[in-house]
Amino acid sequence: MHRVRVIRPRKWEEAVWPGMEPFDTVFTEEISDDLLTDGLLHIARVARKRFLRPNGSMCPRRIVVWGALASVRVKQQSGFDLRQFNTFRSSAGVVYDLEEVFLNEPGAAMLLSDPIHLFSLDLNKPPEDLRRSGGTSSLEAAASADGIFNCLVTWFELEMPSGARVSFAPNWADPQHMYVRAIKQRLHFVGYERQLRAGDVVALHLAQNDTAFDVTAPADRELSKTGRLVPWTYAPLLSYHFPMIAETVRNDKFERALLRAIVEFKEEHGRGPHVLDIGSGTGLLAMMAARGGAAKVTSLEMVPAVAAVARQIVQANGYSHVVQIINARSDELPAELMGSKADILVSELVDDHVIGDGILMSHADARRRLLVPSPTIVPRSGRIFAIPIQLRYPTPAGVSMDVISSQRAEQVVLTRPYHSFKLQRCPPEHYRILADPIPLFTFDWARGDIDSLAHAREMPPKPFTFSASGTFNAFALTFDLQMDDDLSGDYSGGLDNVGCHWDQPIRFLPVELRVRKGDKLHLASRHNDNDLNWMKISGIRPEMLHGMLGARNLLEPSMRYVAERLGVVLQVGD
């Protein structure tokens, strides 16, 4: 420990301590996904001026920024042409990198050019030269493949004083989940689609200052006259829509259940059913219903821009004579606008907590006003589970990461005290399953009591047994959907579904517990109309807490109210 000194200055330029001498090397990891936001250039200037010997070096010493032309587009899903939905690719809400697209949307992305050198930063330059970094410049990129250009992807590589390089280029052959990578690629959607042929040249504009850089490809107005360039209108959209419609398992499960419901209805009534679709999105589920034999489909979408594009998609696929897209929330729709009550309801108003998008309230209202008595609802119900896990940072040889792991336990002080992962895409050494999934709640929105459907409920303490020894510091929440009465058609949002577009919310314990195989604890939980808002573990033995990390003050009786509001409560003893 005598070789390491930790100080906490208010500003880098104010860092000083007794006996301070210049350094041979200054290391920094203040490098963000967009490179400059965390103040890298400022740190390099201060280091050169105050901390480094005349021949000392920054680490990294040099950074090279690259870019490439790319196409990131949905094309067809389940036999439907969804290309018009790509207008929402320009949304600022679509925030994930290219490798995540490779994983979440197979076949949606391709690079259309070789890497383009955008700019370099020499962090060993004199401070006055680093101050002059930035400005604007014009570049050109030549397409190396035919395709529809709508996106620029950027990344960078770090050059160390030894000459070694660390590249964050997209890994096409073996893409990794973005939650296990230090740096992500950036996608810059250009606001239009342009048909490129190999050899075509695209003009780029680069702007850089101390804290940001941006690369754009201004639209060529002459090309728009030929039809080779189609501009988009900006519209906000949550980023999960594209992975959701790309998940083949999800699409197949919904269509199978819908088709079965329609066939059974036609056999019983001798006519095609009226189907209500809450949450149009692309119009995919509505078109599935129409293709499956529905006589009429009323599809509701509350976002005006999304509703407008869904109408275009439905028309382009030839189903506008069956499907009506209405821009409205279901709970604000006058029932008479539907013409008649619906026989079947299909909807995916679920999130990774099942009920977070308001499915309980919306389905209770629909059953009261918009559906016939005893309708068929797809999916029929949903269930949520909690999996006890060990989720700690992998420990490099000879280095303890306990302090960082304790920060995970202390995340209970957040307003929404959980993070999300796709654990099935994480390396196995990153987590350990310590017990079987614990069923928490079943949400029977098809057959449950309509007046209490959205009421809060509490699950009394339920025993569970650990199947493995380890450090118990979190629950991974998963869910499944019962699509219909045939249980073989259920949809799993759990770890067994590798391509699942939903994450698993991770609820961290306020204090880690040391558990052994065969140990037993009890779990109680509570939900309101849109969240699993409370979990309580009881039966904890004092030795389970001995030497463990976490916010121990939350175990005090006087802190019980605070712990309950934060979402995870630990109780020593019964």
Side-chain angles (χ1 to χ4, degrees), residues 314-371:
V314 168
Q315 183 175 11
N317 283 275
Y319 290 103
S320 56
H321 63 292
V322 178
V323 178
Q324 179 186 21
I325 305 289
I326 299 176
N327 175 210
R329 288 172 54 105
S330 64
D331 56 0
E332 296 176 355
L333 178 75
E336 57 270 18
L337 286 185
M338 292 178 55
S340 63
K341 291 189 175 183
D343 306 296
I344 297 173
L345 167 63
V346 63
S347 178
E348 196 185 14
L349 285 181
V350 298
D351 68 349
D352 49 18
H353 286 83
V354 183
I355 59 175
D357 280 355
I359 192 169
L360 299 181
M361 297 286 286
S362 72
H363 279 39
D365 174 73
R367 285 174 58 189
R368 287 189 189 97
R369 302 188 306 110
L370 307 177
L371 302 176

Side-chain angles (χ1 to χ4, degrees), residues 41-188:
L41 289 179
H42 175 66
I43 292 170
R45 284 195 289 265
V46 172
R48 177 58 58 190
K49 187 174 182 180
R50 288 180 51 83
F51 300 143
L52 282 167
R53 301 181 189 277
N55 61 344
S57 176
M58 287 292 299
C59 185
R61 70 181 184 189
R62 187 167 179 265
I63 299 175
V64 182
V65 182
W66 299 92
L69 309 179
S71 178
V72 180
R73 304 173 68 249
V74 61
K75 304 176 185 69
Q76 284 208 347
Q77 292 295 339
S78 302
F80 298 106
D81 182 354
L82 304 182
R83 288 177 297 174
Q84 287 165 295
F85 206 68
N86 287 305
T87 186
F88 298 112
R89 291 286 187 185
S90 59
S91 168
V94 180
V95 185
Y96 53 79
D97 67 351
L98 195 60
E99 282 187 59
E100 197 70 7
V101 177
F102 296 161
L103 290 168
N104 288 340
E105 303 177 60
M110 65 179 295
L111 295 179
L112 300 176
S113 75
D114 296 329
I116 310 152
H117 177 250
L118 298 180
F119 64 95
S120 298
L121 293 174
D122 184 349
L123 299 186
N124 281 337
K125 280 185 176 181
E128 57 273 16
D129 290 344
L130 281 173
R131 289 187 188 282
R132 290 194 289 268
S133 296
T136 61
S137 58
S138 297
L139 304 168
E140 289 186 340
S144 58
D146 296 349
I148 296 179
F149 166 58
N150 67 345
C151 175
L152 292 158
V153 57
T154 61
W155 66 91
F156 51 87
E157 64 181 20
L158 311 179
E159 184 179 311
M160 305 304 175
S162 65
R165 293 174 180 265
V166 179
S167 175
F168 300 102
N171 184 344
W172 191 285
D174 185 24
Q176 299 296 309
H177 185 32
M178 65 181 180
Y179 296 152
V180 299
R181 285 183 284 117
I183 299 292
K184 306 166 187 63
Q185 303 98 34
R186 292 182 70 200
L187 302 183
H188 309 249

